[in-house]
């Protein structure tokens, strides 16, 4: 996506970037006083909670009408769905979605920016129109039975409204990023009736850095969103699962093994989604037809069990405490994983957060069945392993170990189990980080060519380019110049380095006057003392890329050229200056986050 769509003051703004301009007095109050910013966070929280209710109502109505379900019954918790509906609804719904996305791509030929990308690259600027589109596509995808999570719609809508309000008040870059985190925290807190989970979702996954300065605003928004959903709908019920009051010390070794297994399973699922996406691209199937084909797979699996359909949230609550035969649980786990991978890979809009919770619970039950036949294992209820697996697999796919730990605590009200969940979540996170290095969201950014590992603000790095930092060379000579003439024109001590070009002005290398003074012999020219002929910088490189290139070349300075083919000299950048500018920006960002 082009960054100019998000640049303040740009002459061109898409429809979703329109913002109101609140009176200057109110803008000044919000920018100057944290109390007013806290009030704005609460407003964002209320709107985020309302968004959750609206999206939930839309999907519930679609499930009831399209799949002929009783009022109030979730699709994935249903015991049976008519096979014709289970097959046709995802296929036709996928076709409608595919055609609409194809038409939208022709009207708006750019990527839709999600909250993580917006906070990492664009200082919290999220298009409100993009957010409404993503929320609508997510609700539709889930409503027609695709095995996708609803968190993408919740978080996107909350972030879009927060960004829109923040830009209306012309908040500073860091404050706007925090407010976007508030919008997502409110949405997730309201969706799960878990304000602490929502708050840490906003901090770990959307803001990217924990700070005592930002924590109060995110918590306020999460509480407001949770209370709003509770008032309007009663909120999500707690998990009714049999758990031990105290986790024996001997069980923690098994918990750590389960956490590692969750990490490996999460990597397999993320790789599976990527493989399916790649297979669709190589197949030559038009993009508008892919969701319909994904709907075929989801529909066929839905004919076997409705648990493979939708996000699985209702099935999680209905079945987490139910004991099924081992092979049945294993089959449902495989069906759900395949359905989720094909739904996302085929182009249905949504995430894997909700689906990963249900997959993790199923994985935990499978793990419980395995350890039950092993000797020397402390016996524990299958529900215990299901809760640990629920959080461990969600951490592997989504990230945020504290987010999932607080979700387990608020869903079960069992502190002893929460400690085991935390242990498994940490092990799962380390496993994924060591073996894979990405969460599901950042992995997809990586596939698009964006080097985003988290929501930490790296947009300033993209703006701090070589073109902005370079300086004009102090001296430029041609490579055919004799060394005797070189020593006369550039005496020792005049400059540290000299840029050398050929007869056509094309970059040829760097020469050092000190070396020219040491080289003797008749007829020797500058071309005999050239260095870094194939090492140079481009003006569009970021400061991190420039520092990496300087280290690779083992140079204290490199020439900046206009392109690798033309190689016309534009300037010179020293390693010392690049490091200084980088550290200055890091320190400035640190002070902003600390509120200094």
């Amino acid at each position: 996506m082009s960054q100019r769509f998000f640049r303040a003051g740009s002459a061109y703004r898409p429809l979703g970037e329109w913002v109101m301009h609140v009176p200057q007095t109110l803008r000044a109050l919000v920018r100057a006083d944290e109390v007013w910013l806290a009030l704005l966070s609460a407003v964002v929280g209320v709107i985020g909670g309302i968004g959750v209710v609206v999206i939930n109502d839309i999907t519930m109505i679609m499930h009831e009408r399209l799949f002929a379900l009783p009022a109030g019954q979730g699709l994935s918790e249903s015991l049976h769905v008519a096979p014709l509906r289970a097959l046709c609804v995802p296929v036709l719904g996928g076709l409608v979605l595919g055609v609409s996305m194809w038409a939208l791509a022709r009207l708006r030929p750019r990527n839709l920016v999600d909250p993580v990308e917006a906070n990492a690259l664009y200082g919290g600027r999220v298009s409100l129109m993009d957010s409404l589109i993503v929320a609508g596509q997510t609700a539709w995808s889930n409503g027609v039975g695709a095995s996708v999570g609803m968190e993408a719609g919740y978080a996107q809508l909350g972030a879009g409204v927060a960004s829109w309000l923040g830009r209306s008040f012309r908040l500073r870059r860091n404050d706007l990023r925090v407010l976007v985190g508030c919008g997502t925290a409110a949405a997730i807190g309201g969706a799960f009736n878990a304000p602490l989970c929502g708050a840490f979702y906003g901090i770990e996954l959307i803001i990217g850095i924990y700070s005592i300065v930002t924590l109060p605003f995110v918590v306020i928004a999460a509480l407001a969103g949770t209370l709003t959903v509770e008032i309007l709908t009663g909120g999500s019920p707690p998990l009714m699962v049999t758990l031990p009051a105290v986790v024996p010390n001997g069980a923690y070794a098994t918990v750590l093994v389960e956490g590692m297994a969750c990490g490996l399973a999460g990597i397999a699922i993320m790789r599976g989604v990527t493989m399916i996406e790649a297979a669709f691209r190589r197949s030559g199937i038009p993009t508008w037809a892919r969701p319909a084909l994904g709907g075929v797979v989801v529909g066929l699996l839905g004919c076997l069990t409705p648990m493979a359909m939708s996000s699985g949230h209702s099935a999680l609550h209905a079945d987490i405490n139910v004991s099924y035969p081992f092979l049945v649980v294993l089959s449902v786990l495989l069906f759900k994983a395949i359905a989720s991978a094909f739904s996302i890979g085929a182009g249905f809009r949504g995430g894997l957060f909700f689906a990963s919770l249900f997959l993790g619970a199923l994985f935990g039950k499978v793990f419980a069945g395995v350890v039950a036949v092993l000797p020397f294992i402390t016996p524990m209820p299958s529900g215990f392993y299901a809760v640990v697996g629920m959080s461990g697999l969600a951490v592997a796919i989504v990230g945020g170990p504290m987010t999932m730990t607080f979700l387990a605590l608020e869903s079960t009200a069992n502190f002893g189990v929460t400690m085991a969940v935390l242990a498994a979540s940490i092990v799962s996170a380390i496993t994924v980080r060591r073996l894979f290095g990405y969460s599901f969201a950042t992995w997809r950014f990586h596939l698009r060519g964006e080097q985003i590992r988290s929501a930490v603000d790296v947009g300033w790095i993209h703006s701090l380019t070589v073109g902005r930092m370079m300086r004009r060379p102090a001296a430029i000579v041609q490579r055919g110049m004799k060394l005797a003439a070189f020593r006369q024109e550039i005496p020792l001590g005049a400059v540290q380095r000299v840029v050398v070009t050929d007869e056509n002005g094309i970059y040829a290398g760097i020469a050092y006057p000190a070396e020219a003074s040491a080289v003797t012999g008749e007829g020797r020219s500058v071309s005999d003392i050239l260095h870094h002929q194939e090492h140079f910088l481009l003006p569009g490189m970021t400061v991190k890329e420039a520092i990496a290139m300087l280290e690779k070349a083992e140079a204290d300075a490199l020439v900046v050229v206009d392109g690798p083919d033309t190689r016309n000299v534009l300037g010179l950048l020293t390693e010392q200056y690049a490091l200084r500018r980088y550290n200055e920006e890091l320190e400035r960002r640190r002070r902003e986050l600390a509120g200094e």
Side-chain angles (χ1 to χ4, degrees), residues 88-108:
C88 291
V89 172
V91 173
L92 296 178
L95 182 61
V96 171
L97 178 68
V99 172
S100 65
M101 293 176 72
W102 172 82
L104 182 65
R106 297 179 69 87
L107 294 174
R108 301 165 65 88

Side-chain angles (χ1 to χ4, degrees), residues 570-588:
L570 300 178
L572 185 78
L573 179 64
T574 66
E575 183 180 36
Q576 181 182 16
Y577 184 72
L579 287 171
R580 191 182 81 190
R581 291 288 293 115
Y582 181 62
N583 290 327
E584 286 174 352
E585 287 295 324
L586 278 178
E587 178 63 18
R588 188 166 70 85

Side-chain angles (χ1 to χ4, degrees), residues 145-512:
S147 185
V148 294
M150 297 292 292
E151 74 283 352
Y154 298 149
Q156 186 78 40
L157 186 58
V161 171
S163 181
W164 181 76
L165 282 174
R167 283 176 288 128
S168 300
F169 282 88
R170 299 185 185 177
L171 293 183
R172 300 177 185 87
R173 181 185 182 95
N174 191 55
D175 290 340
L176 184 60
R177 293 180 70 255
V178 171
L179 201 63
V180 168
C182 291
T184 58
I188 299 301
F192 288 104
N193 196 20
L196 290 176
C197 167
F200 275 87
Y201 182 94
I203 291 170
E204 290 186 304
L205 303 178
I206 307 301
I207 299 175
I209 294 179
Y210 171 83
S211 169
I212 194 64
V213 177
T214 62
L215 180 63
F217 306 112
V218 181
V219 171
I220 287 170
L223 286 171
T226 303
L227 290 173
T228 299
V229 176
E230 277 193 0
I231 292 171
L232 296 178
T233 66
S236 178
L239 287 175
M240 304 304 296
V241 54
T242 302
L243 296 171
V246 178
V247 178
N249 294 334
Y252 274 89
T254 309
V255 166
L256 297 180
V257 173
E258 183 178 4
M260 186 180 298
C262 286
L264 297 174
I267 293 172
I269 292 172
M270 289 187 281
R271 287 287 190 184
V273 173
T274 304
M275 290 173 58
I276 292 171
E277 285 181 327
F280 271 116
R281 285 195 300 269
R282 291 194 300 267
S283 68
I285 299 172
T287 55
W288 57 266
R290 295 173 190 174
L293 295 177
V296 173
V297 176
V298 174
L300 291 174
L301 294 172
C303 292
L304 299 175
T305 171
M307 292 184 187
M309 308 182 78
S310 188
S311 66
H313 190 58
S314 59
L316 174 66
H317 283 267
D319 299 324
I320 191 170
N321 207 38
V322 178
S323 296
Y324 292 103
F326 177 82
L327 292 179
V328 171
V329 177
L330 180 61
S331 299
V332 175
L333 172 64
L334 294 176
F335 292 164
K336 183 64 179 177
I338 294 171
S340 296
F342 267 92
S343 295
I344 300 293
F348 280 103
R349 180 71 69 177
L352 282 178
F353 184 4
F354 278 43
S356 67
L357 294 174
F358 184 43
L359 283 168
L362 293 170
F363 184 83
K365 289 190 174 186
V366 170
F367 184 84
V370 172
V371 299
V373 300
L374 298 178
F376 311 114
I377 299 294
T378 303
M380 299 291 289
S382 63
F384 167 77
Y385 290 113
V387 171
V388 172
M390 176 187 77
S391 301
L393 190 61
V395 168
I397 295 176
V398 180
M402 293 304 298
T403 299
M404 304 310 169
T405 300
F406 278 113
L407 176 60
L409 176 61
E410 293 174 295
S411 298
T412 64
N414 188 311
F415 184 77
V417 169
T418 302
M419 297 301 293
V421 166
L422 177 59
S425 297
I426 295 297
V427 171
S428 176
I430 293 174
T431 301
V432 173
R433 186 161 56 244
R434 293 287 296 174
L435 300 181
F436 192 61
Y438 299 90
S439 67
F440 180 64
T442 56
W443 172 241
R444 293 169 73 80
F445 293 144
H446 169 73
L447 295 177
R448 280 170 34 191
E450 294 283 359
Q451 296 302 313
I452 303 175
R453 292 298 184 108
S454 71
V456 174
D457 189 5
V458 295
W460 63 271
I461 294 178
H462 286 248
S463 63
L464 188 60
T465 61
V466 169
R468 289 181 55 190
M469 296 185 294
M470 69 180 183
R471 298 291 184 268
R472 293 193 63 83
I476 300 179
V477 302
Q478 291 187 0
R479 66 183 178 185
M481 176 183 283
K482 300 301 182 181
L483 286 181
F486 179 84
R487 286 190 288 264
Q488 288 182 353
E489 183 173 333
I490 304 173
L492 186 63
V495 294
Q496 291 184 347
R497 62 193 66 83
V498 178
V499 176
V500 182
T501 66
D502 64 10
E503 295 73 15
N504 298 316
I506 305 302
Y507 171 68
I510 294 176
Y512 297 97

Side-chain angles (χ1 to χ4, degrees), residues 38-117:
L39 181 60
L40 186 60
S41 301
V43 172
V44 167
V46 172
I47 298 175
I50 293 173
V52 170
V53 174
V54 171
I55 293 175
N56 281 344
D57 286 347
I58 291 173
T59 55
M60 182 62 74
I61 291 172
M62 290 182 66
H63 288 165
E64 292 174 359
R65 301 288 176 82
L66 296 177
F67 294 97
L69 301 180
Q73 180 175 301
L75 175 59
S76 60
E77 69 174 306
S78 302
L79 297 177
H80 176 74
V81 173
L84 186 61
R85 290 180 180 269
L87 180 60
C88 291
V89 172
V91 173
L92 296 178
L95 182 61
V96 171
L97 178 68
V99 172
S100 65
M101 293 176 72
W102 172 82
L104 182 65
R106 297 179 69 87
L107 294 174
R108 301 165 65 88
R110 56 192 180 88
N111 292 323
L112 301 178
V113 176
D114 79 350
V116 175
E117 186 179 6

